[in-house]
Amino acid sequence: MEKFTVELLVENKYGVLNRITALYAKRGYNIDSLYVHATEDASLSRMLITSTGDDYIRIQMVKQISKLYDVRQVILMTEVKIKI
C-alpha cells in the first residue's frame, strides 16, 4: 500500500468536513493528514487529504467523494519521483 493525496475544492459551509471524514470512516479508511485552507473565493475551500491504500482504494475514494453535493472538484495527486 502506498500513500496518496486527494485534493478537493469544496463549498465553504458547515458540515462539509464532517461529511467527507464520515465517508472515510464508513469505508474503514484512515486519514493520515488533513489540510484545509481558504481560497480567493470566500465561498470555496481547498482540502488536501493524505491516506494510505492500493489502487482500488484510491479509485473508490475519488468516485465516492465526487458524489458528495458540496464537492466541486476532486483531483488525485500523483507522486513525482525524481532521480538525481
Side-chain angles (χ1 to χ4, degrees), residues 73-84:
Q73 183 179 28
V74 180
I75 300 171
L76 179 60
M77 311 276 289
T78 55
E79 186 177 323
V80 178
K81 296 182 181 179
I82 301 173
K83 290 186 178 182
I84 298 176

Side-chain angles (χ1 to χ4, degrees), residues 8-66:
L8 309 172
L9 187 62
V10 299
E11 294 287 327
N12 191 10
K13 297 180 183 175
Y14 63 90
V16 174
L17 178 61
N18 187 35
R19 284 190 283 283
I20 292 170
T21 56
L23 180 63
Y24 273 81
K26 188 189 325 183
R27 302 278 181 237
Y29 303 145
N30 191 37
I31 294 176
D32 296 331
S33 72
L34 174 66
Y35 180 72
V36 182
H37 62 91
T39 62
E40 292 176 4
D41 182 354
S43 68
L44 299 173
S45 292
R46 186 166 310 280
M47 300 175 77
L48 295 172
I49 304 172
T50 303
S51 300
T52 304
D54 57 14
D55 288 336
Y56 176 77
I57 291 173
R58 289 179 218 169
I59 292 167
Q60 285 303 308
M61 289 315 299
V62 170
K63 286 181 181 178
Q64 295 298 315
I65 292 170
S66 297

